Amino acid sequence: MARKTTLSANACTTPELIGRELTDVLTYAVTNSPATVVITDIRGNIEYVNRKFCNLTGYAPSEALGKNASLLNSGRMPEKTIRTLWRHLEKGKSWTGEFHNRKKNGALYWEHAAISPVRDDKGRVTHYLKIAEDITQRKQLESKLRASVETLQQHKQQLQATCEQLAAASRALKKSELQLKRLSQEDALTGLLNRRGFANELRRVKALVAREGHAIGFLILDIDHFKQVNDQHGHAMGDHVLKTCADLLRSHLRASDLICRY
């Protein structure tokens, strides 16, 4: 692309760089820029590419010039982004964003690009200038970081689930221990205290009454002819008699009283 540019002496240059020397310096800077530089016409047809573009995409200048910028289209850019880009450019505004492009060999790459309209002396847009930076490595690192974060979140969720399971198991174990303790101190047939349970409760009650200066009363009951009931009517009937007597005694005791099958 050939385009005459006029620079005034008060532009951001020294007087020594005005004219041909400045043109040579700018040409060298653009050609060897570490950033990709592409110039297209207003239809997006490529008219200039620098050395970085060729090294990055694999296209020689002869393969890119005259082709539309869609040459690099990977098909992975959202249509909404493309429409927004052209809407800005057609209004004479600059656009900045990211492209997910495809190289000549088919490999995908990412670039962060700034596209600006180029105007002639009358202010009409004649070309578009794209300056882009290859951010493929950064995108790959970001992707790995997101994957690592997702993995950590999954591990966190698994750890939380494991902690909840352990807490539930701990509660169940504590409940089982309480049940075992209760069963170890309770008569299985009648539900009354057994010898061990009675001894434990008696120690507690003795300490309480000793502190308050009270006395303890005991009542020992025996079921008359109980052996005869078992012998004549069987042990099932004997068990029934025991449970009936236990329920009868329990119903007539205060909450502070103790009853056991000794």
Side-chain angles (χ1 to χ4, degrees), residues 54 73 85 107 129 205:
C54 299
N73 189 0
L85 182 158
L129 169 66
V205 172

Side-chain angles (χ1 to χ4, degrees), residues 63-113:
E63 296 174 309
L65 297 180
K67 301 294 194 305
N68 193 271
S70 59
L71 173 72
L72 304 174
N73 189 0
S74 66
R76 300 198 177 194
M77 286 290 294
E79 286 295 328
K80 182 179 179 181
T81 302
I82 301 297
R83 289 196 300 269
T84 300
L85 182 158
W86 279 107
R87 187 161 54 246
H88 276 69
L89 296 181
E90 289 169 355
K91 291 180 179 180
K93 299 179 179 180
S94 298
W95 178 88
T96 301
E98 295 179 352
F99 286 110
H100 199 186
N101 288 338
R102 190 184 302 276
K103 300 180 182 182
K104 181 181 178 180
N105 63 6
L108 298 176
Y109 71 98
W110 284 92
E111 64 178 6
H112 184 272

Side-chain angles (χ1 to χ4, degrees), residues 130-146:
K130 183 181 84 169
I131 301 176
E133 175 190 5
D134 181 13
I135 58 171
T136 305
Q137 186 175 13
R138 191 191 80 188
K139 281 289 188 178
Q140 291 173 345
L141 291 175
E142 289 176 352
S143 179
K144 291 180 181 179
L145 180 59
R146 284 194 298 270

Side-chain angles (χ1 to χ4, degrees), residues 209-225:
V209 299
R211 185 171 67 246
E212 297 182 354
H214 296 163
I216 301 176
F218 289 89
L219 181 62
I220 300 177
L221 303 178
D222 182 35
I223 300 177
D224 293 341
H225 311 298

Side-chain angles (χ1 to χ4, degrees), residues 178-243:
L178 292 174
Q179 290 176 339
L180 288 174
K181 182 178 180 181
R182 179 179 60 82
L183 291 174
S184 69
Q185 301 185 62
E186 184 180 281
D187 178 56
L189 177 64
T190 62
L192 303 179
L193 292 172
N194 59 19
R195 280 193 177 192
R196 177 185 295 178
F198 180 71
N200 290 337
E201 287 297 311
L202 185 59
R203 283 194 294 270
R204 181 182 63 81
V205 172
K206 286 174 66 177
L208 180 63
V209 299
R211 185 171 67 246
E212 297 182 354
H214 296 163
I216 301 176
F218 289 89
L219 181 62
I220 300 177
L221 303 178
D222 182 35
I223 300 177
D224 293 341
H225 311 298
F226 185 69
K227 184 177 184 303
Q228 185 178 350
V229 171
N230 279 327
D231 292 342
Q232 293 183 1
H233 303 285
H235 290 284
M237 178 57 69
D239 290 347
H240 176 68
V241 171
L242 285 173
K243 289 191 288 186

